[in-house]
Amino acid sequence: MTLFEMNNQTEVTEFIFLGFSNHPKLQGLFFLIFLVIYPTTLLGNTLIIMATRIGPALHTPMYYFLSNLSFLDVCYTSTTIPVMLMNFFLEKKTISYEGRLSQIFFLVTCAGTEGVLLAAMAYDRYLAICHPRQYSVLMSVKVGAFLVTGSWLCGLVNSVTHTVLAATLTLCGPNQISHFLCDIPLLLKLSCSDTSLNESVLHVASATIGLSPCLFTAVSYILIISAILRIPSAQGRSKAFSTCASHLTVVVVFYGMANFNYDRPREGYNLDVDILVSVLFCVMTPMLNPIIYSLRNKEVKGALRKLSGRWVFPANICVWINGLKTVVGGPAEWHSG
């Protein structure tokens, strides 16, 4: 585009989402689906956070990482789904310029932080299985806090960089986003100014924040699996594998969805397929994480049962039967004759 053409363009201050626009008759069904998914995600991840706080067996670095992962998933879905639910009722599904930058900032922060955090969790599992005797020294409370803080800093620095660069772009049309959210590659397509710097930074970030944690996690699990296979007893191998099975499943789901979402070929572009893939990555993955950990982890299941017991049978709920005061349910110390 020439300079004259750019000067004659009107700068865009409002953007229209085209996500789900191909199926107007299914808007009600889509709304109900996401209306179920969002509270389920919030509830599942909130329960994980609370369980890691009340369960003494979960006061370890591994579950400290898990509570941060759950908090990230709550933030991630809260950035996209509420706007999506609101747009189902609007004829013109728009987002402001400031709203677009805010959504990009939080999306990139959460996605980048989660990738690095999963790598930190892989390192934790590597130490627990490959160096169990030195684990308490190598993975102390300070080390765990340092890794979590570092993960958040990586995500924030990456996000601030992209958001500042995005704010410098001149957007002069079209103002239609073929999606249900704002993402950096989609934004670059709408710019009529030079995007070479943004694209270069995006490639660097993909290698440092995306590819590097993925490779680190893969190498960690190669070493973990090799160590497990060297354990002589089948019971020992099963016990060792169970300590990292949940995290490994989450890693496969996260990086599998991320790779399919960002690295698949763009030839033969189809809006429906693009929306479906993004829904799987941005919406389904945060909902699946607490399910995976609660199904495969005995400590988490025990803490969740304890948590539900506190809600269903609080210590001050009593029933009078035949003049005797009896506490219903709960631990043995709750009962009185």
Side-chain angles (χ1 to χ4, degrees):
M1 182 176 291
T2 65
L3 181 62
F4 176 78
E5 290 173 327
M6 289 177 60
N7 291 333
N8 280 279
Q9 293 280 349
T10 302
E11 189 169 350
V12 175
T13 59
E14 186 179 71
F15 302 88
I16 301 174
F17 287 123
L18 299 181
F20 306 104
S21 60
N22 286 357
H23 306 282
K25 295 182 179 179
L26 297 177
Q27 297 289 306
L29 177 61
F30 291 147
F31 173 79
L32 290 176
I33 292 174
F34 290 112
L35 187 62
V36 172
I37 289 175
Y38 185 51
T40 302
T41 302
L42 293 182
L43 178 62
N45 285 288
T46 302
L47 286 175
I48 291 292
I49 294 172
M50 296 178 67
T52 57
R53 294 293 182 268
I54 69 166
L58 304 186
H59 293 168
T60 63
M62 174 183 175
Y63 296 108
Y64 176 60
F65 293 139
L66 177 59
S67 63
N68 276 270
L69 179 64
S70 295
F71 179 72
L72 272 172
D73 287 337
V74 168
C75 296
Y76 200 35
T77 53
S78 297
T79 303
T80 56
I81 298 185
V83 176
M84 189 194 315
L85 291 174
M86 182 180 65
N87 282 336
F88 280 122
F89 291 99
L90 301 177
E91 183 177 349
K92 192 177 181 182
K93 312 176 193 304
T94 61
I95 188 171
S96 65
Y97 177 83
E98 293 77 13
R100 171 189 63 86
L101 288 178
S102 298
Q103 193 174 72
I104 287 176
F105 172 78
F106 287 110
L107 279 175
V108 176
T109 297
C110 293
T113 303
E114 185 159 342
V116 180
L117 184 62
L118 288 174
M121 295 173 74
Y123 175 66
D124 172 78
R125 293 298 84 203
Y126 163 76
L127 293 179
I129 293 176
C130 298
H131 302 282
R133 294 181 180 178
Q134 293 83 30
Y135 176 78
S136 59
V137 177
L138 297 175
M139 186 54 70
S140 62
V141 175
K142 290 184 178 180
V143 173
F146 174 79
L147 290 175
V148 169
T149 304
S151 300
W152 278 99
L153 285 177
C154 287
L156 284 170
V157 170
N158 180 49
S159 180
V160 168
T161 302
H162 287 301
T163 305
V164 170
L165 289 175
T168 64
L169 294 175
T170 301
L171 306 173
C172 46
N175 68 334
Q176 296 179 337
I177 300 176
S178 300
H179 223 293
F180 61 86
L181 52 80
C182 292
D183 204 356
I184 296 172
L186 296 170
L187 187 66
L188 297 181
K189 294 180 180 180
L190 302 179
S191 176
C192 54
S193 57
D194 184 19
T195 61
S196 58
L197 178 60
N198 302 70
E199 292 173 357
S200 298
V201 172
L202 186 60
H203 291 315
V204 172
S206 298
T208 55
I209 303 296
L211 183 60
S212 296
C214 181
L215 292 176
F216 181 86
T217 303
V219 171
S220 297
Y221 270 102
I222 290 174
L223 297 175
I224 288 171
I225 293 173
S226 299
I228 291 175
L229 293 177
R230 290 196 297 268
I231 297 175
S233 67
Q235 184 179 2
R237 289 194 297 269
S238 176
K239 184 177 180 180
F241 183 75
S242 66
T243 64
C244 61
S246 298
H247 177 253
L248 179 59
T249 305
V250 169
V251 165
V252 171
V253 171
F254 177 81
Y255 283 113
M257 294 295 183
N259 181 71
F260 195 42
N261 187 47
Y262 290 109
D263 298 330
R264 59 195 175 84
R266 294 295 174 182
E267 291 77 11
Y269 173 83
N270 185 288
L271 179 59
D272 290 339
V273 174
D274 198 58
I275 294 295
L276 175 62
V277 172
S278 294
V279 165
L280 291 175
F281 177 63
C282 301
V283 178
M284 296 303 295
T285 302
M287 185 184 72
L288 290 175
N289 286 349
I291 296 175
I292 292 170
Y293 269 98
S294 61
L295 288 178
R296 298 193 60 90
N297 193 293
K298 293 181 180 179
E299 289 82 3
V300 173
K301 286 192 288 187
L304 290 174
R305 281 194 295 268
K306 183 178 179 180
L307 184 62
S308 63
R310 287 188 176 185
W311 286 351
V312 177
F313 301 112
N316 59 348
I317 293 181
C318 302
V319 178
W320 290 88
I321 303 176
N322 296 327
L324 295 178
K325 185 180 178 183
T326 306
V327 179
V328 179
E333 60 267 21
W334 290 1
H335 296 271
S336 59

